[in-house]
Amino acid sequence: MSYDHILTHTDGRVGIAQINRPKALNALNADVMMELMTALEAFNADEAIGCLIITGNERAFAAGADIKAMAEATPVSMLNSPMIDQWDRLQKITKPVIAAVSGYALGGGCELAMACDMIIASESAQFGQPEINLGVMPGAGGTQRMTRAVGKALAMEIVLNGRFLSAHEAQHYGLVNRVVPVELYLDEAIKLGQQIAERAPVAVRLAKEAINAVFETNLQSGLSLERRLFYMLFATVDQKEGMDAFINKRPPDWKGE
């Protein structure tokens, strides 16, 4: 399928979706987000793909939303817009999603990165929620996910005062997995994606579900979910294969069943 605002390709079992609006610093609008989610859903449905990556370019992952498209909006037009609903589609992706971030990840771009399961950042990456400078606030998860990642005090400064986090600060506060040189950030994300894609697919899917449940449930409910999913995996072909391979000291041959 061809797209107007994104590029897609695969590297082994990794599906890569690249935002491609370089003149606008990859600013997000409804069309970009709808294309991006359509591509991710296609990768998610492809049995040959085990992990997904969202990226931009070296200068910008996504430098916020397209402000020109929002400047004259009304509450009703925003309510009827499909823009923010696209983040809900991302939460339904069952395979791991990695954000490969270089340059600006601001506003909606930061929210998009935080909605992914992991973030690999280049040394030039900057994260922030500068909506306050426009007289508004984050609306696609910025207040919630940022606070969960870095804590209340720092989130207040980022959201209320427009503070940016450098790549190394973001790593220090737990927002990103690792920081690498600019020329290596996408390669590092692909490497991580390939490693995850080599794991037992059903186990990866259920483990992702269990981790995400931490943010939706209390500890006891989360432990109960984890235990049910753990037991469920003993009905899979891959559980038998993985344990037999371990016992017989050979590489496993995952079936995704």
Side-chain angles (χ1 to χ4, degrees):
M1 182 175 179
S2 62
Y3 300 98
D4 295 325
H5 306 295
I6 68 169
L7 303 173
T8 62
H9 69 283
T10 61
D11 191 317
R13 284 177 46 78
V14 178
I16 303 163
Q18 179 184 7
I19 304 166
N20 187 38
R21 297 186 72 204
K23 292 182 180 179
L25 293 177
N26 291 332
L28 304 175
N29 58 30
D31 291 338
V32 174
M33 290 298 298
M34 291 177 71
E35 287 191 1
L36 184 62
M37 294 308 134
T38 299
L40 294 177
E41 288 168 349
F43 283 140
N44 196 53
D46 187 345
E47 292 185 0
I49 300 298
C51 191
L52 287 56
I53 291 175
I54 302 174
T55 193
N57 56 42
E58 290 187 1
R59 189 179 178 195
F61 174 75
D66 190 336
I67 304 304
K68 290 181 180 179
M70 299 171 65
E72 301 301 322
T74 66
V76 173
S77 69
M78 291 299 294
L79 181 65
N80 292 331
S81 170
M83 172 72 167
I84 293 180
D85 292 344
Q86 304 311 307
W87 273 261
D88 298 333
R89 292 172 69 183
L90 181 55
Q91 296 313 294
K92 296 177 182 177
I93 299 293
T94 57
K95 294 174 182 177
V97 184
I98 301 170
V101 177
S102 186
Y104 298 115
L106 306 177
C110 187
E111 290 172 311
L112 178 61
M114 291 192 296
C116 296
D117 300 308
M118 291 158 278
I119 302 176
I120 301 298
S122 85
E123 292 175 329
S124 73
Q126 295 186 67
F127 299 86
Q129 301 290 162
E131 290 91 341
I132 201 74
N133 297 320
L134 303 173
V136 291
M137 59 176 276
T143 64
Q144 303 303 298
R145 293 192 176 96
M146 184 64 76
T147 305
R148 282 171 166 80
V150 306
K152 175 184 174 182
L154 184 55
M156 287 286 189
E157 189 174 355
I158 292 167
V159 174
L160 274 60
N161 203 38
R163 173 176 169 177
F164 288 4
L165 293 182
S166 69
H168 289 290
E169 286 176 320
Q171 183 183 32
H172 173 75
Y173 290 112
L175 186 64
V176 308
N177 292 69
R178 63 186 66 113
V179 179
V180 298
V182 174
E183 63 271 19
L184 298 177
Y185 80 99
L186 183 55
D187 290 341
E188 187 71 13
I190 292 172
K191 178 181 176 181
L192 176 59
Q194 289 173 337
Q195 291 171 343
I196 293 171
E198 291 174 358
R199 312 298 180 185
V202 180
V204 167
R205 174 177 176 173
L206 296 189
K208 169 177 170 170
E209 180 182 342
I211 292 171
N212 282 334
V214 171
F215 303 105
E216 305 294 336
T217 63
N218 58 39
L219 177 59
Q220 190 56 53
S221 297
L223 290 172
S224 296
L225 173 65
E226 178 188 80
R227 192 165 303 173
R228 290 196 301 273
L229 297 177
F230 172 67
Y231 291 156
M232 189 185 304
L233 286 169
F234 282 80
T236 64
V237 172
D238 282 346
Q239 175 268 325
K240 302 298 187 291
E241 168 63 15
M243 293 190 177
D244 184 76
F246 178 83
I247 292 169
N248 291 290
K249 298 179 172 59
R250 62 175 177 81
D253 180 18
W254 306 122
K255 304 298 184 183
E257 302 174 351

